[in-house]
Amino acid sequence: MATRFEEAKVTVPGVLASKGERKLAMLTAYDFTFARIADRAGVDLLLVGDSLGMVVQGNENTLGVTMDDMVYHTRMVARGRKRALVVGDMPFLSYQVSVADAVKNAGRLIKEGGAECVKLEGGIHVAETVMRLSQIDIPVIGHIGLTPQSVHRMGGHKVQGRERGNAPGARERLL
């Protein structure tokens, strides 16, 4: 009997095909060792989160995390896994300023870091960026729940998007 570690590599098409068929396990990892352990345990997706600013660097929030930080940690996680899909988090101001910046920075996570897709925080206001990244074959995972990059606007770390019309950008779209 094959172990989860010996199963086929998790891919973006495989994740999409799993929707409604089976639950996937996703875990945050910041280094080679933790990625190796999680991968061998059968985790399907490994997120290299900008939460490393708080968890690894000891900062009060994630806003100081740089693209260089993300590329470095993503590269370590990518080296540590065999099966799991690696998701690189786009840090604050790496995609919000312009679509061109988003393309350049997402490309760095893929090329230099070894990510297989990227994660962006936000709702409708990042739709153009998501569409452009998808057009150049960079898979994107969206994130609308707890959005640490909005810590100052929200007055702290607060979950959002649980109710209709409460997702990031929804109020702005209604105004």
Side-chain angles (χ1 to χ4, degrees):
M1 177 177 204
T3 66
R4 295 277 292 178
F5 186 64
E6 296 166 338
E7 289 181 16
K9 171 80 178 85
V10 177
T11 63
V12 171
V15 169
L16 293 172
S18 295
K19 186 173 180 166
E21 297 297 318
R22 73 174 188 95
K23 293 183 178 184
L24 299 172
M26 183 173 188
L27 196 63
T28 302
Y30 307 108
D31 60 27
F32 176 91
T33 303
F34 200 78
R36 178 60 51 97
I37 292 167
D39 191 66
R40 287 184 174 173
V43 170
D44 299 299
L45 295 98
L46 290 172
L47 169 67
V48 185
D50 64 353
S51 53
L52 70 88
M54 298 168 73
V55 176
V56 176
Q57 297 171 338
N59 296 319
E60 289 187 23
N61 58 52
T62 65
L63 302 180
V65 175
T66 66
M67 277 306 303
D68 287 340
D69 294 334
M70 292 308 304
V71 167
Y72 173 77
H73 285 273
T74 303
R75 186 172 36 241
M76 287 192 295
V77 168
R79 287 180 188 152
R81 66 85 176 108
K82 299 259 187 252
R83 180 185 164 276
L85 183 80
V86 176
V87 181
D89 202 355
M90 299 284 288
F92 183 61
L93 293 183
S94 67
Y95 62 94
Q96 296 95 331
V97 175
S98 71
V99 173
D101 281 351
V103 167
K104 178 183 79 169
N105 290 319
R108 284 194 66 200
L109 279 178
I110 302 288
K111 287 180 72 162
E112 298 173 40
E116 295 159 301
C117 67
V118 298
K119 181 187 81 67
L120 310 178
E121 286 184 15
I124 194 71
H125 60 279
V126 295
E128 180 184 356
T129 300
V130 171
M131 183 170 48
R132 182 64 187 127
L133 292 173
S134 297
Q135 288 171 340
I136 59 170
D137 292 328
I138 296 178
V140 178
I141 292 178
H143 182 207
I144 62 169
L146 179 66
T147 53
Q149 294 175 15
S150 303
V151 65
H152 293 312
R153 178 178 57 82
M154 304 207 36
H157 292 98
K158 298 178 182 174
V159 175
Q160 54 188 338
R162 285 191 173 154
E163 299 172 13
R164 187 169 177 80
N166 194 355
R171 280 190 211 93
E172 293 84 354
R173 199 173 61 246
L174 297 173
L175 298 178

